[in-house]
Amino acid sequence: YIPCFSTKAIEVIVHPSVTIEHLSASHIRRIYTMRNKQWNNALPIQVFVFPSENKTHKDFCIQKLEVFPYQLDKIWGKLLFSGLGEPPQVVNSIEEMLSKIKLTPGAIGYVDVLPKDSGVKVMTVGDEND
């Protein structure tokens, strides 16, 4: 168990083309460690993240992935340097995150503030079906 010090809940968001409604904690971890590369309808997964030092990114890693940000950075670095994969695309603001998710079929990301009518789908994340 990793303690959570944040008061803001992190929402996992996806493009409306993603047909599933729920992700288990282990499934979302596989997506963010770049091991799951497509959704169940064969649509490629496009992963978006905030920079590693961003507070929302740190909260997301701890609350949803149950890993520390540096652990993800290590995994992404290995993928990149081994030539086995690409790290996620980094965005720098909530507005940019929402725009990328809304415009990219198969996209997944996260926010700590979700405006009404954002055009993205909120995913439930939990341990069932793990």
Side-chain angles (χ1 to χ4, degrees):
Y1 172 76
I2 299 172
C4 174
F5 302 109
S6 173
T7 55
K8 286 191 171 182
I10 303 295
E11 296 284 5
V12 175
I13 56 173
V14 294
H15 184 274
S17 63
V18 174
T19 56
I20 58 177
E21 305 292 324
H22 175 86
L23 284 171
S24 67
S26 66
H27 190 176
I28 200 162
R29 223 175 0 263
R30 286 192 303 274
I31 289 172
Y32 273 86
T33 55
M34 313 312 274
R35 289 189 307 226
N36 269 31
K37 297 180 191 287
Q38 55 182 223
W39 296 106
N40 56 355
N41 60 357
L43 190 65
I45 298 174
Q46 177 66 53
V47 179
F48 291 94
V49 296
F50 289 114
S52 296
E53 59 281 352
N54 178 290
K55 174 149 181 34
T56 303
H57 178 71
K58 291 176 182 174
D59 290 346
F60 168 74
C61 289
I62 291 167
Q63 286 179 30
K64 300 294 184 190
L65 302 181
E66 298 168 352
V67 299
F68 289 106
Y70 76 87
Q71 293 171 298
L72 267 188
D73 287 342
K74 267 177 82 171
I75 291 165
W76 296 338
K78 276 185 190 167
L79 282 174
L80 187 62
F81 295 118
S82 67
L84 294 174
E86 290 286 317
Q89 194 170 333
V90 177
V91 298
N92 293 303
S93 68
I94 288 175
E95 296 75 25
E96 188 182 1
M97 177 70 82
L98 290 168
S99 171
K100 294 279 190 186
I101 301 297
K102 192 164 53 178
L103 297 173
T104 311
I108 186 170
Y110 52 89
V111 290
D112 61 354
V113 176
L114 187 63
K116 289 204 179 311
D117 304 322
S118 59
V120 300
K121 183 169 146 183
V122 175
M123 189 63 74
T124 60
V125 177
D127 288 327
E128 61 203 59
N129 305 329
D130 242 351

